Amino acid sequence: GNIYVATRGGLIYAADFSLGNFKPIYNTKQKLVSTITVIDDELWIGYSVEGIDVINKNGKYLKNYSQENKGDYHISNDRVRKILKSANDDIWVGTMEGISIINSNGSQDITQNPMNGLPHNGIFDLFEDKNEGVWVATWSGGLAYYHKLNYKFRSYTRTNT
């Protein structure tokens, strides 16, 4: 696989190992990149305050997800921290205001509430384990584990570990 790097100036570079260097493939127009995730043949670029741009590996712009968009291109917040493709092809987007799950049915937002068990809306990281459960690290609510068998989060904090 390739390595992709974002600069503070908003350029996305791809490693060209045959030449031993990096080549620029996309200009974010000064947007601050917080994460880059390769999903299939696309790069999903998450920004600190401007949602997500999706480009192909050659740098061609394909689409944008943002809080202001309606329907399939909506996410819960434009402050994106992590993007994860799960084993069942759902795309999880961790933001500072909850999680968005993008799939063939559109986009669904998950925010903190007593019914689903998500301990905090500020999402720091997402990780899928070998059992297809998703671990969610939050800013100040501890760790949560989500498995599709029960459709709820189980919280882990200092007091209940």
Side-chain angles (χ1 to χ4, degrees):
N2 286 338
I3 295 174
Y4 298 93
V5 177
T7 68
R8 191 176 193 139
L11 292 175
I12 306 290
Y13 287 84
D16 185 342
F17 292 111
S18 64
L19 299 175
N21 63 9
F22 287 84
K23 64 178 181 174
I25 61 166
Y26 187 68
N27 185 347
T28 69
K29 300 178 178 72
Q30 301 293 320
K31 295 177 184 176
L32 185 58
V33 175
S34 58
T35 186
I36 300 173
T37 303
V38 178
I39 298 176
D40 302 322
D41 286 328
E42 300 172 340
L43 273 66
W44 288 59
I45 304 165
Y47 298 112
S48 292
V49 294
E50 299 187 63
I52 299 169
D53 281 344
V54 180
I55 65 173
N56 70 18
K57 289 187 176 183
N58 295 319
K60 180 182 178 202
Y61 172 87
L62 302 173
K63 55 192 163 190
N64 172 267
Y65 291 84
S66 79
Q67 183 177 356
E68 295 169 356
N69 290 349
K70 305 293 183 213
D72 293 349
Y73 298 103
H74 172 82
I75 55 175
S76 61
N77 187 266
D78 286 337
R79 296 171 63 194
V80 176
R81 296 293 302 155
K82 183 71 173 190
I83 302 169
L84 167 77
K85 181 180 178 184
S86 66
N88 67 349
D89 292 330
D90 287 347
I91 298 170
W92 289 59
V93 179
T95 76
M96 291 303 293
E97 292 295 330
I99 297 167
S100 293
I101 299 176
I102 302 165
N103 57 34
S104 60
N105 297 322
S107 177
Q108 169 194 1
D109 293 338
I110 300 172
T111 56
Q112 177 186 19
N113 74 55
M115 297 300 289
N116 67 25
L118 184 63
H120 194 272
N121 281 332
I123 307 303
F124 182 72
D125 204 357
L126 300 167
F127 174 79
E128 184 177 37
D129 65 23
K130 64 182 178 183
N131 298 315
E132 299 182 11
V134 177
W135 291 90
V136 180
T138 68
W139 278 106
S140 62
L143 188 63
Y145 183 74
Y146 177 89
H147 200 278
K148 61 186 174 189
L149 294 179
N150 65 6
Y151 299 103
K152 287 189 174 184
F153 293 89
R154 175 161 189 235
S155 294
Y156 296 89
T157 63
R158 287 182 176 186
T159 58
N160 70 355
T161 55

